[in-house]
Amino acid sequence: VWNYENGKSFDAKLIAWSFGDVGGIVTEYELFDTAGIFIKENSPFKQTFTLSMTNESYNYVPSELAEDHMSYEVSTCRFEKGSGSAFRDEQIRLLNECKAAQ
């Protein structure tokens, strides 16, 4: 559950998968490139894919840098400040769970 800036909450789907040395994450929101790079650099897999904007949900998950500069994506997103880091960290946790389950 992630919080809107106005205090309402909603469920956000995060999916992780793996096959051998390949892993991936899927989210229905648009991640910033810095989040994708972080996920790939910290993934336990040799190769990692990040898929975003899936399942008909189009909203930004801004990075901390974007939040600091109050970019367009920050002013129009549904998420409270810091959600980008929380999304990113949760996706790394899910990839590690996939790796441990192999």
Side-chain angles (χ1 to χ4, degrees):
V1 174
W2 304 89
N3 293 322
Y4 282 100
E5 198 168 310
N6 65 8
K8 293 181 183 176
S9 62
F10 63 97
D11 291 329
K13 295 176 187 140
L14 302 175
I15 300 167
W17 57 269
S18 64
F19 184 76
D21 270 347
V22 179
I25 60 96
V26 178
T27 181
E28 54 194 341
Y29 305 101
E30 183 173 351
L31 302 175
F32 277 47
D33 59 345
T34 53
I37 292 167
F38 180 89
I39 291 165
K40 289 177 181 186
E41 288 176 347
N42 291 279
S43 171
F45 296 97
K46 188 173 183 176
Q47 188 172 21
T48 302
F49 294 90
T50 58
L51 306 170
S52 62
M53 294 179 56
T54 64
N55 299 326
E56 299 181 26
S57 182
Y58 307 105
N59 206 279
Y60 299 104
V61 183
S63 66
E64 291 173 4
L65 181 63
E67 290 173 345
D68 291 343
H69 291 86
M70 200 55 185
S71 68
Y72 163 79
E73 296 87 354
V74 174
S75 65
T76 62
C77 83
R78 314 167 51 172
F79 301 101
E80 63 187 16
K81 191 171 184 173
S83 292
S85 296
F87 262 74
R88 182 192 73 197
D89 295 345
E90 180 65 8
Q91 289 168 351
I92 292 296
R93 186 189 71 73
L94 291 171
L95 287 168
N96 283 317
E97 275 188 21
C98 285
K99 186 68 173 178
Q102 289 186 339

